Amino acid sequence: MSSQLNFDADTALRPRYSEVHQQKSSGATYTPLEFAAFVANQMVQVAKFPENGKIRILDPACGDGALLDALIARLPEAIKRRIEVVGYDTDPVAIEIASRRLRRDFPAVDVSLEQKDFLVHVLNLQGGGDLLSAAEVQEPFNLVIANPPYVRTQIIGAQQAQQLAQNFGLTGRVDLYYPFLLGISQVLAEDGVAGVITSNRFMTTRSGQAVRRAMLSRFQILHAWDLGDTKLFDAAVLPSVLIARGTRDIQNPHTDGIFYSSIYETKDVANSEAKDALAALSADDDTVISIADGRRFRVRHGVLDNGGDPEGIWRVATLSTDNWLGTVEGNTWDTFRRIGKIRVGVKSTADKVFVRSDWDDLPGGRPELLRPLITRKCARRFKAAIPAKAAHIKEILYPHEVAGSGRAAVDLSLYPGAARYLEAHRATLEARTYLIDAGRKWYELWVPQDPAAWPLPKIVFPDISDKPIFWIDTDGGIVNGECYWLQCDNENEQDLLWLAIAVGNSTFIETFYDHRFNNKLYAGRRRFITQYVELFPLPDPERDESKEIVALAKLIHSKTPSVEADQLAVDLDGLVWRVFGLDREKIPG
């Protein structure tokens, strides 16, 4: 993929990757040479070449040509004499650099690199090919190697994003590599091989559901690698690699026999060594590898499991983890979804106006309508912490009230202090034209949630943390948008909240998360988003062990913070493991 380049005189055309920055407007990030070699090797191992005629190769976002260079270098000489190489990129500088590189390394190879947008090319194909040459329409590619841009479609412009969404059946907030993946399927020959580097987001996110289905239908995936937090790029991307064969049977998902590997950083003791993260992938399943820079990674190999759902989350399935999850399922009564709907906190889209810690110091005095705001600074297991710094103790001006069975914006004339304050910031608030266009009042929060819900007990948890942190708020606080919250829909099942925070704060749920979802960010941080947390298991609340768990969770909440509460939490953790029929000393890798 293309980007601004810096060159080292000693390495000629090789870019200094540590100096290449991701460009938000294009999503461009270059592929390190070792990574390019890994993908090329995997492709060549499974490639089937026609006995006669040209062998066509494509990189749809070729950038500096590193991927094409690596792939061509690994082809047998007899094959190399028959190849026809095509590359596209929207950056003319990148095209020139790639052309020089490939001419230098492979002067006898037929190479054609063009300044062209691959997605426009595919859209033309879908429209009948009026803008394409006969060769482009009729001849698919035998090998496609790619590292498409990762930028969100919203960034590239509303018109193009809308066209892409319509043509590729995409909805919501999607990344640009989604249509790239689907576009590659349309130009890849039947039995051709694609090797694609992508972000791993599509494997586990809700926005990736349609892409997961399409990938399993439009390709015969041979092997998928989730490369997690290996930091193979300078850019903040958690990468994955897909090796897939082309297919014309696009009606039915191809889910059988897909090898799946993952590698994530761990603090566990290493039992083997490797030069780097890519070399570590050759280790056996469930091996902890120490690499040269001191980091340690757990490598896992198995088959892809999506729960039988073409849109389901992808995970590594092994005999040990499947047996473990089977035991959990056998002791599961229901999930967190049973309690109620998990919601995100409020979003004002003007926090500098609505959220402050210095309301008492304002010249006009403290306005009405202020409510305590629960932020991630309050995060602590079982009971919220009061931030040590006064600047972290936030209050929100909340201009909403209960109206019938719903909500309404308050009548500001009843709250003169709040009215004066908001009027002073009216220009800023009215700049949120999308709110006014939606028929809302200029002083409302964009996402206020339900005013009637705030006084009721609720579970709160931050969206990202290395360890799960669930607590119960009984003080009527308003939850900020960086946290999620959950209330019990059935007033006769309130004890499910206490059962849930016991499960949510356990080491058991860490293990469950890692084997069921395994969506980690850098430094081992987990994403506690709705689609995962709503599937957290609950034991039968009528069991004696569950009642003991509820009572202990309430006791811990009442004694937090204290040494005694911490000691009781250790006992509670053991109870959670046992209620699911498991031994916390026997955890599968």
Side-chain angles (χ1 to χ4, degrees), residues 12 16 20 31 33 61 146 156 201 229 277 290 295 303 320 325 344 380 388 436 445 460-461 480 500 526 542 567 582:
R16 294 202 300 250
V20 177
T31 309
L33 299 184
I156 64 175
R201 280 178 49 83
D229 52 357
S290 174
R295 291 181 294 162
V303 294
S320 61
L325 288 170
V344 72
R380 182 173 60 192
I436 296 171
L445 305 183
V460 185
F461 54 97
N480 198 27
R526 298 174 176 89
E542 295 303 316
Q567 293 171 339
L582 296 165

Side-chain angles (χ1 to χ4, degrees), residues 197-213:
I197 300 170
T198 79
S199 162
N200 69 359
R201 280 178 49 83
F202 84 94
M203 295 175 164
T204 55
T205 61
R206 181 162 288 166
S207 65
Q209 288 177 336
V211 177
R212 291 193 290 272
R213 173 183 284 277

Side-chain angles (χ1 to χ4, degrees), residues 156-327:
I156 64 175
Q159 184 174 358
Q160 188 176 0
Q162 187 175 8
Q163 187 179 9
L164 289 171
Q166 181 178 353
N167 281 271
F168 290 103
L170 303 174
T171 58
R173 296 181 56 146
V174 298
D175 294 317
L176 192 58
Y177 69 87
Y178 290 6
F180 259 85
L181 292 173
L182 303 185
I184 288 169
S185 73
Q186 296 188 246
V187 300
L188 181 64
E190 186 172 10
D191 259 0
V193 172
V196 185
I197 300 170
T198 79
S199 162
N200 69 359
R201 280 178 49 83
F202 84 94
M203 295 175 164
T204 55
T205 61
R206 181 162 288 166
S207 65
Q209 288 177 336
V211 177
R212 291 193 290 272
R213 173 183 284 277
M215 290 292 293
L216 293 171
S217 299
R218 294 174 176 269
F219 294 97
Q220 181 184 345
I221 298 175
L222 305 176
H223 201 144
W225 287 265
D226 177 358
L227 301 177
D229 52 357
T230 49
K231 300 181 182 177
L232 293 173
F233 289 109
D234 284 343
V237 170
L238 277 71
S240 66
V241 171
L242 300 173
I243 301 296
R245 206 177 293 285
T247 180
R248 291 298 171 260
D249 176 18
I250 63 173
Q251 301 304 315
N252 303 300
H254 308 277
T255 57
D256 295 334
I258 300 175
F259 293 106
Y260 194 59
S261 302
S262 71
I263 178 169
Y264 277 85
E265 192 168 1
T266 181
K267 296 179 182 178
D268 294 342
V269 177
N271 45 29
S272 188
E273 295 180 353
K275 179 184 72 171
D276 54 33
L278 291 173
L281 288 169
S282 62
D284 293 336
D285 176 47
D286 196 22
T287 301
V288 177
I289 306 288
S290 174
I291 67 173
D293 64 8
R295 291 181 294 162
R296 286 167 285 171
F297 292 93
R298 182 177 294 279
V299 176
R300 302 186 63 226
H301 301 294
V303 294
L304 187 150
D305 175 69
N306 59 3
D309 179 359
E311 296 183 355
I313 291 169
W314 290 8
R315 72 172 187 91
V316 180
T318 66
L319 182 60
S320 61
T321 57
D322 284 359
N323 287 341
W324 191 90
L325 288 170
T327 300

Side-chain angles (χ1 to χ4, degrees), residues 14 42 55 65-66 90 143 156 198 218 285 397 434 459 463 491 501-502 533 536 574 578:
R14 179 175 178 174
Q42 300 299 328
I55 296 169
T90 57
L143 297 172
I156 64 175
T198 79
R218 294 174 176 269
D285 176 47
L397 196 157
Y434 48 86
I459 292 176
D463 58 348
E491 62 180 20
I501 64 164
V533 176
F536 282 6
R578 291 195 291 276

Side-chain angles (χ1 to χ4, degrees), residues 16-34:
R16 294 202 300 250
Y17 293 104
S18 63
E19 297 179 15
V20 177
H21 298 289
Q22 187 178 31
Q23 294 185 341
K24 189 173 182 182
S25 61
S26 65
T29 304
Y30 277 104
T31 309
L33 299 184
E34 297 81 1

Side-chain angles (χ1 to χ4, degrees), residues 119 138 156 368 406 489:
L119 293 179
Q138 295 172 4
I156 64 175
E368 308 92 348
D489 289 342

Side-chain angles (χ1 to χ4, degrees), residues 407-570:
R407 67 166 186 259
V410 300
D411 180 353
L412 282 184
S413 67
L414 302 177
Y415 306 97
R420 285 193 301 272
Y421 174 80
L422 292 170
E423 191 65 43
H425 296 278
R426 184 165 187 150
T428 299
L429 299 180
E430 286 188 333
R432 303 175 300 160
T433 54
Y434 48 86
L435 185 142
I436 296 171
D437 290 343
R440 309 268 299 279
K441 298 187 184 303
W442 60 270
Y443 55 85
E444 292 188 51
L445 305 183
W446 175 237
V447 180
Q449 296 295 2
D450 180 8
W454 300 126
L456 304 175
K458 54 186 171 288
I459 292 176
V460 185
F461 54 97
D463 58 348
I464 296 174
S465 60
D466 56 346
K467 301 285 187 182
I469 305 175
F470 290 75
W471 71 92
I472 288 186
D473 171 64
T474 56
D475 298 325
I478 292 177
V479 180
N480 198 27
E482 61 195 356
C483 295
Y484 290 89
W485 56 289
L486 169 64
Q487 287 180 322
C488 191
D489 289 342
N490 188 338
E491 62 180 20
N492 297 320
E493 294 184 337
Q494 293 296 316
D495 275 354
L496 291 182
L497 292 175
W498 299 98
L499 190 58
I501 64 164
V503 172
N505 286 324
S506 67
T507 55
F508 158 78
I509 211 63
E510 294 178 39
T511 305
F512 177 84
Y513 180 103
D514 292 345
H515 289 302
R516 184 66 180 81
F517 312 116
N518 197 38
N519 185 6
K520 289 185 179 178
L521 305 173
Y522 286 122
R525 293 180 301 160
R526 298 174 176 89
R527 302 186 70 219
F528 294 94
I529 53 182
T530 299
Q531 68 199 73
Y532 302 153
V533 176
E534 68 182 5
L535 296 179
F536 282 6
L538 288 171
D540 185 346
E542 295 303 316
R543 289 176 57 178
D544 291 341
E545 299 96 321
S546 298
K547 293 177 180 179
E548 185 179 358
I549 286 171
V550 168
L552 192 51
K554 291 179 178 178
L555 181 60
I556 292 170
H557 182 271
S558 69
K559 293 182 176 295
T560 297
S562 69
V563 173
E564 182 182 1
D566 295 340
Q567 293 171 339
L568 291 171
V570 174

